[in-house]
Amino acid sequence: MAQQLRHMLRDDDVTHEEQKQILELGMKFRENRHYHMPFAGPQGVAVLFDKPSTRTRSSFSIGVAELGGYPLVVDKSGSQLGRGEPVEDTARVLTRMASAIVWRTFGQDRVETMAEYSTVPVVNALTDDFHPCQVLADFLTIAQHKGGVDALEGMTIAYVGDAANNMANSYLLAGAVAGMHVRVAGPYGFLPREDIVADAERIAATTGGSILVTTDVREAVAGADCIFTDTWVSMGEESEYAVRSKPFWPYQVNESLMALAKPDALFQHCLPAYRGKEVTAAVIDGPQSVVWDEAENRLHAQKALLTWLIGKQRDDESLLL
Ligand code: CP
Ligand code: NVA
């Protein structure tokens, strides 16, 4: 196999088999935090933030260190990128020093430009459109609780709430790649873009999965194996707070909504969560919630992803196992 420069910019940047490979690696990292150390040296990984973060910052910082590397964490306020230096020039500079670039930013076009000008793997650590690292962690959490990575295929997952946000888009694509039955429910005006739904449907047709986008929250959660939600007000939308709460109330994940899913269904939330809004305290702090495992799995899933990307770039099969 030849060396391949691969990026993770959106969830369908990997195939069904590749996603499974990354998740299996994630299970290995769950068992042994130093399973692989591809950045030993240490080599540097640039981790850039244009938006706030707790989980992504800590999991990439600690994760890169556990992989033997040095995490160079830079906030928007502390970089020339934040003062308007072109993404292309930033990519040209970082790519000469870092072994990988991880970036949380606004437009998806920005990570795409970074990848175009980079000679090292670029990882999307959340854009307005997608959050692929989060969904890898979420699927690892299902694997952890429901019998391994092979168990994902054919499962039914439901995401309810702001169905036009990055998490909804990522569940659609990643779930389709995994061969899951993905249901997404939100109010009119807050449903996913047609092109993303079309991409998910096209992928699901090849993996045995299926896609349902609906305004009917009960239809979405009925018999599901896992229920997901997210904040009703994403980063960058703070000025819309007043208009954003009202339409989402019927989509709140509470005990009566959970009761429509399978009795052993899991509850996940990427966090930060707003108790009493998108989820009640009884659910997120209740027995079906696995949100703390989910947060921990950011670490394992992202270490697996970085290791896999570096394994591809170095054509080192030993890193892919
Ligand atoms: N879920 C998530 O990405 O959390 P942070 O915004 O804290 O990184
Ligand atoms: N949809 C949320 C996810 C936070 C991890 C946001 O973009 O703010």
Side-chain angles (χ1 to χ4, degrees):
M1 198 184 67
Q3 292 186 342
Q4 295 175 42
L5 174 60
R6 298 287 298 272
H7 307 289
M8 183 55 129
L9 306 182
R10 41 186 276 167
D11 309 74
D12 56 352
D13 281 345
V14 291
T15 65
H16 178 77
E17 288 307 324
E18 290 172 344
Q19 186 196 59
K20 280 180 80 168
Q21 210 173 13
I22 294 164
L23 292 170
E24 291 289 4
L25 262 181
M27 294 295 265
K28 296 270 174 41
F29 277 113
R30 278 193 54 78
E31 289 159 23
N32 174 4
R33 300 265 285 245
H34 297 102
Y35 179 67
H36 285 305
M37 297 183 73
F39 297 127
Q43 298 171 33
V45 173
V47 187
L48 314 176
F49 289 96
D50 291 349
K51 291 178 176 176
S53 167
T54 296
R55 280 143 289 269
T56 307
R57 181 187 303 268
S58 50
S59 54
F60 271 112
S61 305
I62 293 167
V64 167
E66 289 182 355
L67 294 174
Y70 170 77
L72 173 74
V73 181
V74 183
D75 276 329
K76 182 180 177 178
S77 60
S79 74
Q80 300 291 2
L81 195 56
R83 291 181 63 237
E85 184 170 10
V87 176
E88 293 87 334
D89 293 355
T90 307
R92 288 176 175 120
V93 172
L94 291 178
T95 210
R96 292 186 177 216
M97 302 182 196
S99 293
I101 299 168
V102 176
W103 193 13
R104 166 169 290 194
T105 189
F106 291 84
Q108 182 71 13
D109 58 312
R110 288 166 66 76
V111 288
E112 282 168 8
T113 303
M114 185 73 89
E116 194 184 330
Y117 287 85
S118 174
T119 57
V120 296
V122 175
V123 172
N124 175 355
L126 181 147
T127 58
D128 294 342
D129 287 354
F130 301 104
H131 197 0
C133 293
Q134 179 69 54
V135 176
L136 281 177
D138 295 6
F139 286 4
L140 190 60
T141 309
I142 297 178
Q144 177 192 348
H145 285 273
K146 295 289 181 188
V149 174
D150 287 337
L152 292 173
E153 202 170 324
M155 272 193 181
T156 299
I157 62 169
Y159 169 86
V160 304
D162 181 2
N165 77 5
N166 41 21
M167 290 308 303
N169 293 339
S170 275
Y171 290 121
L172 282 168
L173 293 186
V177 169
M180 291 170 154
H181 304 293
V182 186
R183 302 173 185 170
V184 167
Y188 287 112
F190 298 95
L191 293 172
R193 280 190 347 232
E194 278 178 19
D195 60 301
I196 294 170
V197 177
D199 286 344
E201 284 172 340
R202 179 180 45 75
I203 297 163
T206 69
T207 59
S210 66
I211 302 297
L212 172 74
V213 176
T214 177
T215 55
D216 184 342
V217 68
R218 296 170 71 87
E219 182 188 15
V221 301
D225 294 284
C226 186
I227 308 291
F228 301 91
T229 190
D230 185 16
T231 179
W232 295 336
V233 184
S234 284
M235 290 179 276
E237 298 172 342
E238 289 78 5
S239 64
E240 298 171 34
Y241 198 85
V243 287
R244 281 191 152 264
S245 281
K246 196 159 174 256
F248 293 115
W249 283 113
Y251 301 85
Q252 183 191 60
V253 182
N254 50 37
E255 285 169 299
S256 55
L257 197 73
M258 281 302 291
L260 302 175
K262 284 201 178 132
D264 63 348
L266 302 175
F267 171 76
Q268 296 197 54
H269 188 312
C270 63
L271 307 175
Y274 300 90
R275 288 170 177 76
K277 298 271 189 185
E278 73 272 9
V279 60
T280 59
V283 170
I284 194 167
D285 301 320
Q288 288 170 272
S289 172
V290 288
V291 297
W292 312 122
D293 288 335
E294 180 187 7
E296 177 191 324
N297 281 328
R298 294 293 303 279
L299 177 72
H300 310 305
Q302 289 159 191
K303 284 168 68 183
L305 174 62
L306 286 171
T307 300
W308 187 87
L309 291 168
I310 291 301
K312 286 285 178 192
Q313 194 182 16
R314 295 182 189 160
D315 193 15
D316 182 348
E317 289 276 345
S318 72
L319 289 177
L320 306 180
L321 301 169

